[in-house]
Amino acid sequence: MNSKKFFTNLFLSIAGLLLTLSAPSGFANEHQGVQILKQLQVHGFLSQGYIKTTGNNVFGHSNNSGSFDFREIGLTASLRPLPGLQLSGQLLHRRAGEGSDGGIHIDFGFLDYNFINMPEVELGVRLGRMKNPFGFYNDTRDVPFTRPSILLPQSIYFDRTRNLALASDGVQLYGESRTDWGNITIQLGAAFPQVDDKDSETSIFGHMTPVRGELKSRLSYIGRILYELPDGRLRLAVSSAQLNVGYDPSQNDIFESGSFRFSPLILSAQYNAERWSITSEYALRYSRRHGFGNPRLDQSSTGDSFYLQGIYRFLPNWEAVLRYDLLFANKKDRNGKKFLAASSHPAYSQYARDLTVGLRWNITPSIMLSTEYHRINGAAWLSPLDNPDIDSAEKNWNLFAAQISYRF
């Protein structure tokens, strides 16, 4: 049984057992069960986006004519059958080009047992499928209302290879210390990343196809430490992980049995005032491919990324965003010239510089309209699934996005 089925079945089994134990037999306990179900909270959201680009494709065939293939629908439920126990889950339908081609998936689903909960300290454990605690935005990146823009900074939060870093199946310990000088939150996890999709194949093999074998999820580790002032003005975080993936070749495969390791380190900082916020994150991304029997694939590299973002709330329901985003696939080859010499592919496929300007209108607490414009130099964050011929990608290109979102 693979890790996905194992943790899904484990979650459902434990949830059923705990609900049974929390509602003993008899009329009184039938009443107790009804009271528990009354605590069930259900929320959801849906959004429809439009993407238009020049020269390259993002989230479908967006070049020139534009694309409506960017759609997100989520349904979230939570239940607290016992004072220290909470069950949470979310189903997600996401359409965003070839990397996310629809269907309904378990975005997250976990048990949260809080065995210490006092005003000054909190300690607990989560079991199931959880969002990986990367940076400031990965935990809630699928909910449009929690993103600072339609597209998150692609230097840190890749949409072209999102699934490998999005969520994992495993266990996570968390704790929080609250004092007058600030709050410290720590999350430490051991889990199996999601790798059974085309998106993960792209993360590892890029344009090197065909992939005939099967990726295998291996035990991985992740953690984040976050410091925040009591009033929320200043937030600082350090995130790190070691994501491990194996590869089992098929008969007559062009690749041998290999392994992939991805180890990002993310430093995050944010300052919040009454009407404006400034956020910046820097990442070092080490990756290593080993044992595939292909010199072009069996390599290691360290890339780095950075963005600086400002948000200004100039009216109660209006806010503007300005961001400059930098991505380098290899920090020792920032201009891509070494890559060009070794592969004959464009040097600009190894970097991306993105200037973004956006506007958001919160029409009501439940309805939001967003628009944004990107001026991009480079093609490093283009999806190979939507752009199979990297040699024909445009070096300088534009992206316009609009999105309407509803939540309940």
Side-chain angles (χ1 to χ4, degrees):
M1 180 180 294
N2 61 35
S3 60
K4 175 180 178 180
K5 292 182 179 179
F6 174 79
F7 280 103
T8 299
N9 292 336
L10 181 62
F11 173 81
L12 293 175
S13 299
I14 296 177
L17 176 62
L18 289 171
L19 286 172
T20 301
L21 293 175
S22 64
S25 59
F27 174 79
N29 290 322
E30 180 179 346
H31 175 73
Q32 180 182 352
V34 171
Q35 294 300 315
I36 291 175
L37 289 177
K38 285 184 177 180
Q39 300 179 35
L40 177 67
Q41 297 186 26
V42 178
H43 303 283
F45 62 88
L46 58 92
S47 69
Q48 176 63 57
Y50 171 76
I51 306 287
K52 179 177 174 59
T53 55
T54 60
N56 304 311
N57 288 316
V58 174
F59 296 166
H61 298 289
S62 60
N63 186 21
N64 295 327
S65 60
S67 170
F68 285 96
D69 284 346
F70 183 32
R71 186 178 309 110
E72 298 166 301
I73 303 174
L75 184 64
T76 307
S78 63
L79 177 66
R80 188 176 293 277
L82 299 172
L85 176 69
Q86 180 167 309
L87 315 178
S88 301
Q90 178 170 289
L91 297 177
L92 180 69
H93 166 87
R94 187 175 189 268
R95 173 67 179 170
E98 294 297 323
S100 298
D101 55 359
I104 299 176
H105 308 280
I106 300 175
D107 196 34
F108 63 83
F110 58 86
L111 309 174
D112 184 337
Y113 183 66
N114 192 271
F115 46 87
I116 297 179
N117 193 349
M118 297 185 295
E120 67 279 2
V121 66
E122 183 177 0
L123 193 63
V125 61
R126 298 185 180 111
L127 176 67
R129 172 166 297 173
M130 294 154 289
K131 290 292 186 68
N132 294 326
F134 281 137
F136 284 144
Y137 299 117
N138 196 64
D139 308 55
T140 57
R141 63 185 295 173
D142 287 327
V143 182
F145 289 84
T146 65
R147 297 195 294 255
S149 52
I150 300 173
L151 298 182
L152 283 172
Q154 293 300 294
S155 65
I156 306 290
Y157 306 97
F158 294 115
D159 277 312
R160 67 178 176 90
T161 55
R162 71 192 293 271
N163 290 341
L164 184 63
L166 180 67
S168 301
D169 300 328
V171 61
Q172 183 183 109
L173 297 174
Y174 68 91
E176 182 174 356
S177 172
R178 310 180 186 98
T179 66
D180 294 337
W181 51 268
N183 306 327
I184 296 178
T185 302
I186 299 177
Q187 294 168 267
L188 300 172
F192 295 90
Q194 302 180 66
V195 297
D196 54 346
D197 54 78
K198 294 186 296 182
D199 188 64
S200 296
E201 289 183 1
T202 303
S203 302
I204 297 171
F205 295 98
H207 290 275
M208 300 186 68
T209 55
V211 179
R212 301 190 182 99
E214 184 178 2
L215 294 176
K216 294 292 186 180
S217 180
R218 293 179 176 175
L219 186 62
S220 304
Y221 309 94
I222 188 168
R224 179 177 64 188
I225 300 176
L226 188 148
Y227 168 77
E228 183 175 6
L229 288 177
D231 60 4
R233 281 183 173 266
L234 179 65
R235 302 176 72 214
L236 303 171
V238 178
S239 314
S240 185
Q242 179 181 300
L243 301 180
N244 300 310
V245 181
Y247 179 73
D248 287 346
S250 65
Q251 291 185 350
N252 303 319
D253 204 318
I254 63 173
F255 300 120
E256 299 176 5
S257 177
S259 63
F260 171 72
R261 174 175 293 179
F262 178 55
S263 302
L265 173 66
I266 304 175
L267 307 177
S268 310
Q270 184 178 77
Y271 184 81
N272 298 300
E274 182 178 357
R275 301 184 65 177
W276 53 271
S277 301
I278 295 178
T279 305
S280 182
E281 295 188 279
Y282 173 79
L284 281 173
R285 308 179 318 278
Y286 172 78
S287 62
R288 179 176 182 265
R289 299 164 181 83
H290 176 72
F292 290 95
N294 188 314
R296 291 177 57 195
L297 194 61
D298 288 343
Q299 298 180 7
S300 63
S301 64
T302 300
D304 59 348
S305 313
F306 169 81
Y307 75 86
L308 179 63
Q309 170 186 280
I311 294 178
Y312 180 53
R313 293 169 283 276
F314 57 93
L315 288 173
N317 297 327
W318 289 82
E319 63 182 52
V321 60
L322 177 64
R323 181 171 65 231
Y324 187 60
D325 194 16
L326 290 171
L327 166 64
F328 300 101
N330 188 337
K331 70 185 186 70
K332 294 183 179 180
D333 185 27
R334 293 183 185 275
N335 56 18
K337 290 183 177 180
K338 295 179 182 178
F339 175 82
L340 172 63
S343 67
S344 299
H345 293 306
Y348 57 81
S349 67
Q350 298 300 290
Y351 62 81
R353 302 175 179 90
D354 180 3
L355 178 63
T356 302
V357 179
L359 191 64
R360 172 184 291 189
W361 178 24
N362 297 309
I363 304 173
T364 71
S366 300
I367 302 175
M368 179 183 70
L369 178 64
S370 302
T371 61
E372 63 192 45
Y373 167 78
H374 299 247
R375 177 59 179 171
I376 305 158
N377 169 246
W381 53 262
L382 285 178
S383 168
L385 297 175
D386 291 322
N387 303 270
D389 184 8
I390 189 63
D391 294 332
S392 64
E394 293 289 335
K395 178 180 179 180
N396 297 299
W397 52 293
N398 303 312
L399 184 152
F400 172 78
Q403 184 179 56
I404 186 166
S405 306
Y406 169 75
R407 63 182 173 184
F408 61 89

